[in-house]
Amino acid sequence: MVDTSQTWMLALDTSNTLASLALGPVGDDTGALGAEIVWNAGRNQTTTILVEVDGLMRLVGITPGQLGAVAVASGPGAFNALRVGMSIAKGFAFSMQIPIFGVGTLDIAAHVVAYAGHPVRAFVEAGRGRIVVGDYRMTNGRLQLRGALDHRTPGELGDGLLEPTVLSGELSETDRQALKEMPNVILPPAAAGRRRASALLDLAAQRWRNDEADDLLALEPMYIHSQPVVAAKPERNP
Amino acid sequence: MNILAIETSCDETSASVVHEGRWVRSNVIASQTDLHARYGGVVPELASRQHITAIIPVVQEALEIAGMTRDDIDAIAVTEGPGLAGALLVGVNFAKTLAFAWRKPLVPVNHLEGHVYSNWLIPPGEAAGDPPALPALCLIVSGGHTELLLLQKHGVYEILGRTRDDAAGEAFDKGARLLGLSYPGGPSIQKAAEGARPLGDLPRAWLGDSYDFSFSGLKTALLRACEPYQKMKGPPRRQPANRPQAPRELFPEHKPPEYVPNMPVNQLAASYQEAIVDVLVQKTARAAADQHVASVMVAGGVAANALLRRRLAHNVKVPVHVPDLQFCTDNAAMIAAAAYQAVRRGAAAGLDMDVSPQLPLDSLPGVRVIDRTHAAR
Ligand SMILES: [Zn+2]
């Protein structure tokens, strides 16, 4: 049973169509969970996120005044979807004068499967058919990103694995079947490889304990391009 | 009533506190003009990114200058549209969160109505003049809009005309690109044209007795007028087949055209400006007379054009209102002024408020619009 009289951290992940929110106490009960929601927001992040934040707070029985920290998935992902979460997280940090923690989206995807000691290949569908991939390895008991992020197609997600590696991210059933046959691929059940805001809450709570908040003004989403996606054209200026 | 307004529809991040819909307590604008100048126009993705980093300092400064805290604010207003989707969503989500966290009402505002009500604003430290008398004709001229609206009374509009292709500000930007002048085009063409004799007449699109506008033909005419001065280009250089191609830039910069040194840029700029202003003024003056209005208002970035202001004052028989320069280009004070009217009509938004890149003027409760443009007939 969590104590609703203490302060709370709100975690928002709007990296792509899969949206997730979580509320957990910070302080004595850090690590506990008040409530969590994961849903397919499609392109409706702007119309749904705050409605669900409100619902989650009612469910837990707290008010915005009880927020003590806010955590947000900082990408990579779909640019506009990321900006919805970032605008809301910054809105809470500014209006309630609380610390903000930006956590990499692939860190969250890797964290949900970080228990078997295996390396992890985390990936996120980043809009326009792009998939951004990062390779993680267990070092000193923590998963650390190795090398640079890159773009792959679903068919290439199992390429170049030299040892048994857990794949974590959203996959279609067809892609799952194809990847399952590849050497060194460990596929967790679909539900276990899905990003969840409680994982974001875990990672941000560690940083909260270490007093490692982000700079509120400088924090922005991580924009990973696969190619020139924006042609510079004079645009209509309203 | 103190309204804190936020505007992020295009390339200005702005926040403002306005008292009773008129008295501006603060109006902070972080302009991205320099950022976009390299590209010859607004790059939507870059504009959206800039809003994310600018929004907090801008809102914070607006509250500080106004000398207010959350307790002094009665409502939060934000531009719902029209505008760039990725840019609008930063302002809307930030404003919604503020309204939710501070338990304040949220007021959605149409950006165009904001431009109309920029004429009601009184800059800090200035005495209140009379607001524009109604019915009033409003010429909104900016990079995104060229509209002739009749404001019969608060909340009741007639759209008399609008552009059928480019907006006036867009025409200035495109003209400046053709002439090798800097972005934004309005100020740079005005500067180049200063004291220069127009070089012949460029065509005007009068479109019969319609109040609609069209500037695309003018742009083509300027292109033809510039062609004789273009430097001859050599044959394109071939890339050797085995050499890897240089990676394409993420955001390719605008390369200005190359002209021979004796090109009459200033005279061409003068002809071009003359043609745009001529059509704007003649249509506005005719509409003002036809509709028997009590006053004429001008709004939008192009309202800063000195020739337009002079000619309107000369050709229109009723008082002409032009807002303070800081309220002509996109700003949040005008959003607060329009929000004040919207609140009186009962406009309010919930946490599910969306952005609306193509928002029509009559989308908000209590607003009635009669469309008399060509497209509506
Ligand atoms: Zn505007």
Side-chain angles (χ1 to χ4, degrees):
Chain A
M1 193 63 195
V2 287
D3 174 5
T4 52
S5 68
Q6 56 181 341
T7 60
W8 290 74
M9 182 187 282
L10 169 68
L12 307 116
D13 182 345
T14 65
S15 303
N16 54 17
T17 54
L18 187 76
S20 183
L21 307 171
L23 269 173
V26 282
D28 296 344
D29 274 355
T30 302
L33 176 70
E36 178 180 42
I37 175 173
V38 187
W39 78 104
N40 187 340
R43 294 167 67 93
N44 298 322
Q45 287 89 358
T46 292
T47 54
T48 57
I49 303 291
L50 267 173
V51 174
E52 299 304 332
V53 168
D54 185 30
L56 215 61
M57 285 191 181
R58 286 170 199 272
L59 190 61
V60 174
I62 62 163
T63 61
Q66 284 171 267
L67 288 181
V70 61
V72 62
S74 59
F79 298 165
N80 271 348
L82 284 169
R83 279 190 282 262
V84 173
M86 192 59 79
S87 304
I88 292 173
K90 284 194 165 198
F92 278 116
F94 170 75
S95 60
M96 307 315 292
Q97 302 283 301
I98 53 178
I100 190 168
F101 300 88
V103 175
T105 301
L106 292 177
D107 294 358
I108 303 166
H111 184 73
V112 294
V113 295
Y115 49 81
H118 292 297
V120 174
R121 176 166 286 176
F123 52 92
V124 57
E125 217 279 306
R128 302 179 192 224
R130 302 175 302 130
I131 294 178
V132 186
V133 182
D135 283 324
Y136 288 74
R137 187 168 282 279
M138 204 58 101
T139 315
N140 303 327
R142 279 177 75 162
L143 275 180
Q144 309 261 8
L145 179 68
R146 288 301 176 92
L149 305 183
D150 69 359
H151 282 88
R152 294 191 184 210
T153 63
E156 296 164 346
L157 285 172
D159 290 356
L161 296 176
L162 302 177
E163 60 185 302
T165 301
V166 183
L167 262 53
S168 182
E170 306 139 70
L171 284 172
S172 71
E173 193 48 39
T174 324
D175 294 333
R176 288 184 66 82
Q177 293 306 328
L179 284 166
K180 233 166 54 182
E181 307 304 321
M182 294 188 70
N184 289 329
V185 166
I186 304 171
L187 267 186
R194 211 168 270 147
R195 285 191 332 277
R196 298 196 316 274
S198 54
L200 164 58
L201 205 59
D202 277 1
L203 293 168
Q206 284 171 21
R207 290 193 21 217
W208 183 85
R209 277 191 293 269
N210 297 335
D211 211 8
E212 294 168 353
D214 275 302
D215 177 340
L216 175 59
L217 303 191
L219 184 64
E220 58 179 328
M222 184 192 291
Y223 303 106
I224 305 281
H225 291 265
S226 56
Q227 58 189 345
V229 287
V230 187
K233 276 197 301 261
E235 281 286 333
R236 292 197 158 219
N237 168 2
Chain B
M1 173 179 239
N2 294 320
I3 296 181
L4 168 65
I6 293 173
E7 149 71 32
T8 64
S9 67
C10 191
D11 62 338
E12 324 277 0
T13 318
S14 181
S16 167
V17 179
V18 175
H19 179 65
E20 301 299 331
R22 294 203 72 193
W23 284 270
V24 179
R25 299 293 191 235
S26 63
N27 184 39
V28 179
I29 304 170
S31 171
Q32 305 177 9
T33 306
D34 293 346
L35 169 73
H36 298 285
R38 282 190 278 162
Y39 310 102
V42 175
V43 184
E45 174 59 25
L46 291 183
S48 308
R49 292 182 188 187
Q50 203 64 22
H51 289 309
I52 284 279
T53 47
I55 188 95
I56 288 179
V58 164
V59 173
Q60 193 155 20
E61 200 182 336
L63 286 168
E64 277 168 17
I65 291 173
M68 292 186 191
T69 65
R70 58 186 275 191
D71 298 333
D72 306 306
I73 301 297
D74 300 294
I76 313 275
V78 67
T79 307
E80 179 182 0
L84 304 168
L88 286 165
L89 70 81
V90 177
V92 164
N93 282 295
F94 190 83
K96 279 203 289 189
T97 309
L98 249 55
F100 172 67
W102 287 351
R103 302 296 198 223
K104 308 281 180 189
L106 179 69
V107 188
V109 176
N110 184 301
H111 181 85
L112 273 187
E113 198 171 29
H115 276 304
V116 171
Y117 281 97
S118 62
N119 282 282
W120 268 256
L121 294 169
I122 303 157
E126 286 191 21
D130 285 335
L134 302 186
L137 184 69
C138 186
L139 172 70
I140 303 178
V141 268
S142 71
H145 295 285
T146 303
E147 313 235 355
L148 211 41
L149 301 179
L150 177 63
L151 180 59
Q152 289 171 336
K153 54 183 190 176
H154 294 296
V156 182
Y157 295 90
E158 276 186 51
I159 306 174
L160 300 179
R162 65 160 62 100
T163 183
R164 294 183 187 174
D165 40 60
D166 296 347
E170 196 180 2
F172 272 116
D173 288 343
K174 288 179 174 175
R177 277 166 73 107
L178 284 173
L179 292 169
L181 299 170
S182 62
Y183 169 87
S188 65
I189 286 184
Q190 173 172 316
K191 188 154 178 281
E194 231 166 57
R197 281 254 304 273
L199 186 76
D201 254 357
L202 289 169
R204 280 93 161 134
W206 295 111
L207 309 175
D209 62 351
S210 154
Y211 295 123
D212 281 356
F213 301 90
S214 166
F215 296 106
S216 65
L218 173 64
K219 179 196 65 195
T220 311
L222 180 66
L223 176 72
R224 297 278 170 272
C226 290
E227 270 167 1
Y229 305 102
Q230 220 152 23
K231 270 191 183 158
M232 296 300 279
K233 278 189 191 136
R237 263 186 300 177
R238 276 239 198 93
Q239 285 272 1
N242 58 351
R243 191 188 295 169
Q245 294 228 327
R248 280 170 64 198
E249 295 168 86
L250 280 182
F251 302 101
E253 290 190 11
H254 166 61
K255 307 268 189 302
E258 284 187 44
Y259 293 116
V260 294
N262 63 346
M263 176 172 168
V265 172
N266 298 356
Q267 290 97 311
L268 284 167
S271 304
Y272 194 71
Q273 176 177 250
E274 187 76 35
I276 294 175
V277 167
D278 194 18
V279 178
L280 293 175
V281 170
Q282 291 215 31
K283 295 218 173 202
T284 306
R286 183 159 59 83
D290 292 354
Q291 305 293 327
H292 308 289
V293 296
S295 63
V296 166
M297 311 182 275
V298 195
V302 180
N305 185 279
L307 185 68
L308 176 66
R309 287 171 179 234
R310 259 201 327 270
R311 290 277 173 83
L312 276 174
H314 190 258
N315 285 275
V316 172
K317 307 294 173 227
V318 293
V320 176
H321 295 260
V322 185
D324 211 58
L325 223 54
Q326 60 168 320
F327 306 133
C328 284
T329 48
D330 291 349
N331 66 88
M334 71 183 199
I335 301 304
Y340 182 73
Q341 299 293 334
V343 167
R344 303 209 300 191
R345 293 193 303 256
L351 295 177
D352 61 348
M353 174 189 174
D354 202 359
V355 300
S356 182
Q358 312 288 339
L359 187 71
L361 196 53
D362 57 356
S363 58
L364 300 175
V367 177
R368 205 148 59 80
V369 174
I370 306 156
D371 194 338
R372 301 207 186 281
T373 58
H374 176 79
R377 271 182 235 157

